[in-house]
Amino acid sequence: MNNYGLDSDLRKSIAKQLYMAEKSNTPIPLLTETYPAITQEDAYVIQQEGLKLRLADGHRVVGRKIGITSRGMMQQLNCDTPDYGYLLAANMIDDGGKCVRSELNVPVVEGELAFIIGEDLNKGIVTVADIFNATAWVVPCFEVCDARYPSWRVTVRDTISDNAGAARYMIGSKPKRINEISPRNIGMVIEKNGELLGSAAGAEVMGSPVTSVTWLANKLLAYGDYLKKGDIVLSGAFMASDAASAGDSYTMELDGFPKLTIKFV
């Protein structure tokens, strides 16, 4: 028995609507309002249909992102599980580069720890130890999330369909081996326009960013996919996201790494 509420043609149509909304930077109404029967299973299929459209346009997948990794976000979206999306090469911003605000709808900034996967994880159930052993590098990361809807008043079904809000991301250029840090205890401080925005530790991400990556690896296996050697994985936000405007500048200090700065123009 499947858990779909929409038929195949409608899922493909919705995927095209979301892709066109992203390309034109013109939001569409919430899917859960227009199609109340949509389920999480529908949403992940819509996400995959959207990926097919992007691949057909020449885009290249370079990794994955994990969202809704904090208890607060799960409560806000009335769900008990994280979600995930895919990362495209074209959406990466170079270390110290600029993000063009006018290309996005309602962008928000998050600070994360990114994992660079060093081997395929396709041999069965993945453990936390497997993630430690399979991680080639870790590096600080800014993720810029966006919604192809009028606002961030969304449900998890809306975000999954919308590629988990993936938009832009920047990873640092000075990675470390995972055994050089403590993913659970590592501290992060973010400043916005020279003023403290917030601080947090890796434990805010499902108890540890390694736990969130382990969750992703097993979730992908359940959907017939897997993390691949070379994949970039954004493990989830250390603290609440912040709405970004043109002229804003964010600087992250992650213990033991050089500062990372992203500017909006």
Side-chain angles (χ1 to χ4, degrees), residues 3-230:
N3 291 308
Y4 299 123
L6 309 180
D7 65 38
S8 176
D9 287 343
L10 183 53
R11 290 193 293 266
K12 290 178 181 178
S13 172
I14 293 169
K16 187 172 182 180
Q17 291 176 51
L18 284 166
Y19 187 30
M20 296 307 297
E22 180 181 358
K23 291 207 293 185
S24 66
N25 198 18
T26 304
I28 64 172
L30 280 182
L31 299 183
T32 47
E33 293 180 354
T34 307
Y35 310 102
I38 187 173
T39 66
Q40 283 197 34
E41 287 74 14
D42 286 316
Y44 276 117
V45 174
I46 290 167
Q47 185 186 118
Q48 285 301 112
E49 292 295 340
L51 175 57
K52 291 176 185 177
L53 295 173
R54 288 162 175 82
L55 293 176
D57 272 355
H59 284 287
R60 181 168 60 91
V61 175
V62 293
R64 303 283 179 161
K65 62 149 292 180
I66 310 168
I68 321 178
T69 52
S70 72
R71 190 169 299 149
M73 281 301 297
M74 289 183 188
Q75 291 172 346
Q76 181 180 327
L77 295 180
N78 192 30
C79 65
D80 59 2
T81 180
D83 67 358
Y84 70 85
Y86 48 85
L87 300 176
L88 300 176
N91 290 339
M92 182 185 289
I93 300 171
D94 291 337
D95 185 351
K98 296 177 174 61
C99 184
V100 181
R101 171 62 181 85
S102 61
E103 294 178 350
L104 303 171
N105 179 36
V106 284
V108 295
V109 176
E110 298 178 347
E112 309 188 21
L113 181 68
F115 290 62
I116 313 301
I117 304 301
E119 62 183 69
D120 291 350
L121 290 170
N122 60 349
K123 297 180 175 64
I125 294 174
V126 178
T127 66
V128 166
D130 292 329
I131 297 300
F132 271 102
N133 291 330
T135 299
W137 303 98
V138 288
V139 66
C141 170
F142 273 122
E143 182 179 10
V144 181
C145 298
D146 198 18
R148 273 54 73 165
Y149 307 114
S151 74
W152 279 104
R153 293 174 65 91
V154 296
T155 74
V156 67
R157 292 168 290 159
D158 296 298
T159 63
I160 292 170
S161 302
D162 193 24
N163 194 25
R168 305 287 187 271
Y169 59 98
M170 172 192 289
I171 62 174
S173 56
K174 302 288 185 182
K176 289 181 176 291
R177 299 292 186 183
I178 195 168
N179 60 7
E180 296 182 80
I181 70 165
S182 170
R184 174 179 172 83
N185 297 318
I186 195 167
M188 177 186 293
V189 175
I190 297 180
E191 292 184 350
K192 178 181 182 180
N193 303 327
E195 300 291 332
L196 178 66
L197 181 64
S199 61
E204 294 294 331
V205 185
M206 295 180 69
S208 169
V210 179
T211 304
S212 70
V213 179
T214 305
W215 172 86
L216 172 65
N218 288 305
K219 189 73 170 178
L220 288 174
L221 288 172
Y223 278 91
D225 201 353
Y226 61 94
L227 287 177
K228 301 169 181 63
K229 181 178 180 179

Side-chain angles (χ1 to χ4, degrees), residues 99 101 192-193 244-250 262-265:
C99 184
R101 171 62 181 85
K192 178 181 182 180
N193 303 327
S245 301
D248 285 338
S249 177
Y250 295 82
I262 185 169
K263 296 179 180 179
F264 284 78
V265 296

